[in-house]
């Protein structure tokens, strides 16, 4: 039987390594795993659609859904999740001591439509009283100049968006005090805990409290298939979903191994036990129904922040074949 050859752009997370090393092979598919950092993967898929299947920013996927050609179809696999309270940085002299101090400030982010800032702005608004149109948002490269939005966006007039200069970087502007705060996915190189500090220095406790209050483990990335690939071979959606889930199950099994440390952290097993105790054994669920509430909150945030012209519904996001499975 001829197998369909497909390229997958994705980082080498532990939950996908069995797809990378061949321990898991999707039925009917020869998968060529292209291991790249997320910024490169997102840029190449969103701009040039280079891969058959790709890890993709959740926000970029939703923005693309409102483009005329709707270039991608998602499957409910979420290779990246991240609590983001740790990712808000402030200049020590900016007078930002609590979230509400951000109102009226200059708040940097590499791209306004990035998923991490969507979650951060939404959480600040819903849980800390910082209106999403309260700060002025300043965009551009974090560590190198001239970063631009991967996908073009048009925001309502009440949002204030500025571009930094062609030789500027947000990390340095934060240290210099030319922006007051910065929300991002990567810790800036200028973070030192003194001149550049976290808004929530006790972020672990804050994020655990957020989980207890909401049950949300924020989803950052989704797996997207180029629409023409999906339309020509609709069976690939479910076969890929099953393969990603099988790979993740192998990762879960490894986490439960106690004879030796599967990761290099000295108290790796203690961290695993703590996560299971706090969040349950399937603390990183795939599939639509287990993630419906989290996805619905993100889609609401996305619309409230001017990134989608209407609130997208969860059931519009994913290949319909992945909502149900055959049972005997």
């Amino acid at each position: 039987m001829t197998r369909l050859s497909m390229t997958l752009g994705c980082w080498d997370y532990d939950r996908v390594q069995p797809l990378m090393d061949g321990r898991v092979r999707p039925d009917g598919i020869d998968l060529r795993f292209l291991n790249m950092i997320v910024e490169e993967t997102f840029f190449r898929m969103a701009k040039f659609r280079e891969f058959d299947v790709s890890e993709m920013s959740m926000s970029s996927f939703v923005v693309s859904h409102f483009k005329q050609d709707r270039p991608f179809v998602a499957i409910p696999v979420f290779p990246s999740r991240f609590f983001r309270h740790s990712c808000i940085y402030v200049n020590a002299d900016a007078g930002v001591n609590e979230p509400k101090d951000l109102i009226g400030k200059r708040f940097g982010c590499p791209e306004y439509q990035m998923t991490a800032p969507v979650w951060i702005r939404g959480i600040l608004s819903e849980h800390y009283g910082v209106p999403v149109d309260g700060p002025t948002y300043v965009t551009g490269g974090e560590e190198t100049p001239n970063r631009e939005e991967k996908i073009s966006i048009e925001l309502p007039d009440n949002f204030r968006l500025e571009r930094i200069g062609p030789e500027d970087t947000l990390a340095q502007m934060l240290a210099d005090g030319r922006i007051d705060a910065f929300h991002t996915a990567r810790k800036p190189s200028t973070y030192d805990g003194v001149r550049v500090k976290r808004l929530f220095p006790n972020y672990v406790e804050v994020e655990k409290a957020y989980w207890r209050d909401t049950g949300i483990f924020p989803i950052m990335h989704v797996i997207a298939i180029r629409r023409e690939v999906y339309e020509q071979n609709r069976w690939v959606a479910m076969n890929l979903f099953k393969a990603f889930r099988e790979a993740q199950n192998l990762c879960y099994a490894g986490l439960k191994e106690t004879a030796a440390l599967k990761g290099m952290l000295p108290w790796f097993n203690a961290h695993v036990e703590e996560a299971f105790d706090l969040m349950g054994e399937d603390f990183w669920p795939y599939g639509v129904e287990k993630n419906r509430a989290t996805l619905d909150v993100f889609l609401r945030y996305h619309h409230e922040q001017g990134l989608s012209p209407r609130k997208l519904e969860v059931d519009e996001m994913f290949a319909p074949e992945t909502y149900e499975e055959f049972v005997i």
Side-chain angles (χ1 to χ4, degrees):
M1 175 182 174
T2 301
R3 297 170 64 88
L4 183 66
S5 178
M6 298 182 71
T7 52
L8 167 64
C10 192
W11 211 7
D12 60 345
Y13 307 106
D14 56 359
R15 49 254 180 218
V16 301
Q17 281 184 353
L19 287 166
M20 186 178 178
D21 62 28
R23 284 178 289 161
V24 172
R25 300 180 66 196
D27 291 340
I29 298 171
D30 282 330
L31 201 61
R32 286 180 286 165
F33 195 113
L34 305 174
N35 177 20
M36 295 165 289
I37 61 170
V38 295
E39 291 91 344
E40 180 179 356
T41 304
F42 295 172
F43 177 81
R44 292 173 63 177
M45 187 64 156
K47 279 277 190 181
F48 305 111
R49 307 177 192 178
E50 291 187 37
F51 317 115
D52 298 313
V53 189
S54 173
E55 176 182 10
M56 177 171 276
S57 153
M58 177 72 77
S59 178
S60 296
F61 172 79
V62 176
V63 170
S64 77
H65 193 84
F66 289 97
K67 302 298 183 182
Q68 185 173 3
D69 58 349
R70 291 196 304 150
F72 308 111
V73 177
I75 61 174
V77 170
F78 311 108
S80 177
R81 307 176 85 120
F82 207 118
F83 292 107
R84 288 296 182 186
H85 294 75
S86 65
C87 300
I88 309 170
Y89 302 90
V90 299
N91 179 281
D93 296 329
V96 180
N97 300 306
E98 60 178 334
K100 283 192 176 181
D101 294 333
L102 292 166
I103 298 172
K105 299 294 188 180
R106 287 166 55 79
F107 203 173
C109 59
E111 297 179 43
Y112 182 83
Q113 62 89 40
M114 280 174 61
T115 303
V118 172
W119 275 111
I120 291 167
R121 291 189 294 261
I123 289 169
L124 288 172
S125 174
E126 185 166 13
H127 299 278
Y128 296 96
V130 181
V132 292
D133 59 357
T136 294
Y137 298 104
V138 182
T139 66
E142 178 173 341
E143 304 292 348
T144 54
N146 297 317
R147 179 168 175 172
E148 297 181 355
E149 303 281 349
K150 289 182 289 294
I151 299 179
S152 61
I153 58 173
E154 295 182 12
L155 299 178
D157 292 339
N158 58 310
F159 292 94
R160 299 181 299 279
L161 202 63
E162 297 179 4
R163 287 279 301 160
I164 64 176
E167 297 182 359
D168 290 326
T169 66
L170 290 167
Q172 192 59 51
M173 290 177 70
L174 180 63
D176 295 343
R178 288 183 286 158
I179 57 175
D180 303 299
F182 183 40
H183 56 325
T184 182
R186 287 184 181 272
K187 183 169 67 175
S189 60
T190 52
Y191 170 78
D192 59 4
V194 181
R195 182 71 175 167
V196 174
K197 307 188 298 182
R198 283 189 167 96
L199 179 61
F200 296 101
N202 60 332
Y203 63 88
V204 174
E205 291 79 9
V206 173
E207 290 169 354
K208 288 178 181 177
Y210 172 79
W211 162 260
R212 293 188 186 99
D213 290 343
T214 66
I216 291 174
F217 186 7
I219 293 169
M220 296 293 132
H221 306 164
V222 69
I223 295 296
I225 308 169
R226 281 195 295 116
R227 183 168 293 277
E228 61 267 31
V229 173
Y230 166 73
E231 294 292 354
Q232 293 168 11
N233 304 277
R234 293 188 64 141
W235 56 271
V236 302
M238 189 50 142
N239 286 18
L240 286 167
F241 175 65
K242 290 168 60 179
F244 272 98
R245 191 174 55 187
E246 182 181 350
Q248 188 198 41
N249 285 338
L250 290 175
C251 180
Y252 270 140
L255 292 179
K256 295 178 180 178
E257 178 57 65
T258 59
L261 293 175
K262 291 289 286 187
M264 289 178 62
L265 290 174
W267 292 278
F268 180 87
N269 291 344
H271 291 308
V272 170
E273 290 179 8
E274 182 183 27
F276 285 152
D277 289 343
L278 177 63
M279 303 174 69
E281 295 211 353
D282 188 16
F283 58 81
W284 197 301
Y286 292 168
V288 175
E289 293 309 320
K290 290 182 178 180
N291 292 283
R292 183 175 292 276
T294 297
L295 292 164
D296 191 67
V297 168
F298 176 80
L299 294 172
R300 172 166 57 84
Y301 288 168
H302 203 265
H303 175 55
E304 290 171 351
Q305 295 172 32
L307 284 165
S308 39
R310 63 174 175 82
K311 179 180 173 293
L312 192 67
E313 298 301 322
V314 173
D315 290 333
E316 299 178 72
M317 296 181 66
F318 302 103
E321 295 86 355
T322 61
Y323 283 71
E324 298 183 48
E325 292 189 57
F326 174 76
V327 294
I328 297 176

